[in-house]
Each structure stands twice: as C-alpha cells, then as structure tokens.
C-alpha cells in the first residue's frame, strides 16, 4: 500500500475542517432565518389590522 503524502493529508484535513465549519454556519443561518420569520409573524399578529 502506498504511503499518503503529507501534502495530501494536509489538504484533505483542511477541506474536511472547512466542510464542517460551513455546515455549522449553514445551520446557524437557517436557525437565524427561522427565528426572524417567527418574530415577523408574531409582530404581524400583535399589530392591529390597518384599514384600507
């Protein structure tokens, strides 16, 4: 079995770490979006309807 070069391992680990970080950021953004939508809907419910 051929040895894996240090350069490949370095690059592989950097890509893996970056994918994990991006996944966490995506989840954080989706959660912020959900919270913002909830706040928007709550504000609409609390506001009196405007007459046309």
């Amino acid at each position: 079995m051929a040895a894996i070069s240090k350069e490949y391992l370095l690059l592989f680990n950097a890509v893996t770490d970056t994918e994990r970080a991006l996944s966490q950021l995506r989840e954080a953004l989706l959660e912020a979006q959900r919270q913002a939508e909830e706040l928007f809907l709550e504000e609409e419910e609390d506001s009196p309807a405007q007459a046309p």
Side-chain angles (χ1 to χ4, degrees), residues 6-20:
K6 293 177 193 176
E7 298 86 358
Y8 176 80
L9 287 174
L10 176 74
L11 182 59
F12 178 83
N13 289 330
V15 168
T16 301
D17 292 346
T18 302
E19 285 180 330
R20 187 175 298 119

Side-chain angles (χ1 to χ4, degrees), residues 1 4 6 9 12-13 18 20-21 24-26 32 34 41-45 47 51:
M1 180 188 222
I4 299 175
K6 293 177 193 176
L9 287 174
F12 178 83
N13 289 330
T18 302
R20 187 175 298 119
Q24 291 171 346
L25 287 171
R26 182 180 186 274
R34 282 190 282 272
L41 293 174
E42 286 174 8
E43 192 172 299
E44 272 191 344
E45 290 173 357
S47 298

